[in-house]
Amino acid sequence: MPQLILLAAVGAVAWLGYKRFLTEAERVSARVRDAEKEAKSGAQGTLIEDPKTGEYRLRKPDE
């Protein structure tokens, strides 16, 4: 019985690790796509509008 519990725990950790890997891969892929678009258009950043003030500012890397 302890082997079954250990196997279930290892399986759960592996599943959570896989899900986290997929999330990170999607985030990195999105950053690469954005960088390619900026390089293709010659832009030096992406502007986003601040909803409170209505002013535009450069997007931060973690947004």
Side-chain angles (χ1 to χ4, degrees):
M1 189 65 168
Q3 295 90 355
L4 185 61
I5 293 172
L6 180 63
L7 181 62
V10 168
V13 168
W15 181 75
L16 289 172
Y18 177 71
K19 289 298 209 177
R20 189 171 202 141
F21 171 77
L22 288 180
T23 303
E24 181 68 14
E26 180 59 35
R27 186 187 66 81
V28 169
S29 179
R31 287 186 69 187
V32 168
R33 280 193 306 268
D34 288 345
E36 287 175 349
K37 286 179 188 176
E38 287 178 3
K40 193 174 195 178
S41 67
Q44 295 181 356
T46 302
L47 293 176
I48 58 172
E49 184 179 7
D50 185 4
K52 293 179 182 176
T53 63
E55 295 178 353
Y56 286 88
R57 62 175 174 79
L58 283 175
R59 185 182 66 185
K60 297 176 185 170
D62 59 346
E63 290 183 309

